[in-house]
Amino acid sequence: NAGVTQTPKFQVLKTGQSMTLQCAQDMNHNSMYWYRQDPGMGLRLIYYSASEGTTDKGEVPNGYNVSRLNKREFSLRLESAAPSQTSVYFCASSEALVGIEAFFGQGTRLTVV
Amino acid sequence: LAKTTQPISMDSYEGQEVNITCSHNNIATNDYITWYQQFPSQGPRFIIQGYKTKVTNEVASLFIPADRKSSTLSLPRVSLSDTAVYYCLVADKDSNYQLIWGAGTKLIIKP
């Protein structure tokens, strides 16, 4: 039972390059999330998807785009990476949007040089 | 925004009970209080959630007073493996009830 799987686990990008972070969950959850976590800080919500076919901005959406490909998969795209986007990115899923336990992936450590 | 305040760090010893208190003065009527645990290089893991009074599971207890402006996570008989960052969260009704994450409490358990 994999839970939430993120790929890749590590990535180094040059400024201006683009990439897509992949996330898949096998728990049949409706809601999925992308967070970033900077050193010594809590998580900040980038985008979320309440259900298949919907996406909404979170606290820090600038510089990112997302796609809810189907119920299982939610991808995060950086179109033109900047050093300020160096962070650890976490994908999460939950049965519903409000007041429900969320399950997190292991994270993607992204460095933009 | 609904925000929480908790100590930046705490120390304790193996076998002790640890209580981490969180204040959330602006909690909304329908908000639940949720606690997560995070180990280095891992995603957060749900510990416990409650609305009022006391909730207990196999890992922890959560105490919430009647005014709900604070809550206390209680970890019984901690071990070295409980060393982690603990986050207290409430939902923000102004942003579709998304959870607002603070910096958490770094708990260090000593032998």
Side-chain angles (χ1 to χ4, degrees):
Chain A
N1 191 358
V4 178
T5 303
Q6 292 182 233
T7 54
K9 288 185 171 51
F10 301 94
Q11 183 72 47
V12 179
L13 289 179
K14 294 182 178 179
T15 298
Q17 286 186 319
S18 62
M19 79 161 296
T20 299
L21 281 63
Q22 306 287 352
C23 175
Q25 51 93 7
D26 62 3
M27 296 171 282
N28 201 36
H29 285 167
N30 290 306
S31 302
M32 298 186 73
Y33 315 81
W34 275 105
Y35 290 92
R36 61 175 287 174
Q37 185 174 34
D38 299 322
M41 308 279 287
L43 279 68
R44 290 187 291 170
L45 183 64
I46 304 171
Y47 273 92
Y48 64 99
S49 170
S51 60
E52 186 178 357
T54 69
T55 61
D56 284 288
K57 296 178 180 179
E59 184 185 355
V60 288
N62 292 344
Y64 305 94
N65 286 301
V66 290
S67 295
R68 183 73 183 267
L69 304 170
N70 48 55
K71 192 171 185 179
R72 289 186 64 248
E73 299 172 286
F74 189 38
S75 63
L76 178 73
R77 182 161 178 84
L78 288 70
E79 289 292 350
S80 179
S84 61
Q85 293 178 305
T86 293
S87 189
V88 180
Y89 291 84
F90 288 102
C91 177
S93 71
S94 61
E95 285 186 16
L97 194 57
V98 180
I100 298 294
E101 176 182 356
F103 294 81
F104 285 79
Q106 289 298 298
T108 296
R109 187 173 296 274
L110 175 67
T111 302
V112 183
V113 297
Chain B
L1 294 179
K3 292 186 177 178
T4 59
T5 303
Q6 49 185 127
I8 293 173
S9 64
M10 293 179 66
D11 293 351
S12 189
Y13 293 90
E14 280 191 295
Q16 299 294 304
E17 178 183 80
V18 171
N19 296 310
I20 305 174
T21 297
C22 176
S23 72
H24 25 78
N25 292 320
N26 297 323
I27 189 169
T29 303
N30 296 328
D31 277 354
Y32 279 76
I33 298 148
T34 310
W35 285 79
Y36 281 81
Q37 174 192 56
Q38 186 178 27
F39 297 113
S41 302
Q42 293 188 25
R45 184 176 70 118
F46 175 89
I47 301 175
I48 198 166
Q49 183 180 72
Y51 183 76
K52 62 180 179 180
T53 63
K54 177 183 175 182
V55 179
T56 297
N57 62 22
E58 64 277 7
V59 176
S61 294
L62 179 60
F63 299 91
I64 305 168
D67 66 7
R68 304 197 334 116
K69 292 184 183 299
S70 67
S71 59
T72 299
L73 175 73
S74 181
L75 304 172
R77 297 180 299 282
V78 293
S79 65
L80 296 176
S81 63
D82 291 316
T83 293
V85 178
Y86 292 82
Y87 294 96
C88 164
L89 306 165
V90 296
D92 174 31
K93 66 182 176 67
D94 294 327
S95 62
N96 209 7
Y97 292 94
Q98 288 308 298
L99 297 176
I100 304 298
W101 296 72
T105 297
K106 184 170 185 177
L107 175 65
I108 298 174
I109 305 301
K110 302 175 183 178

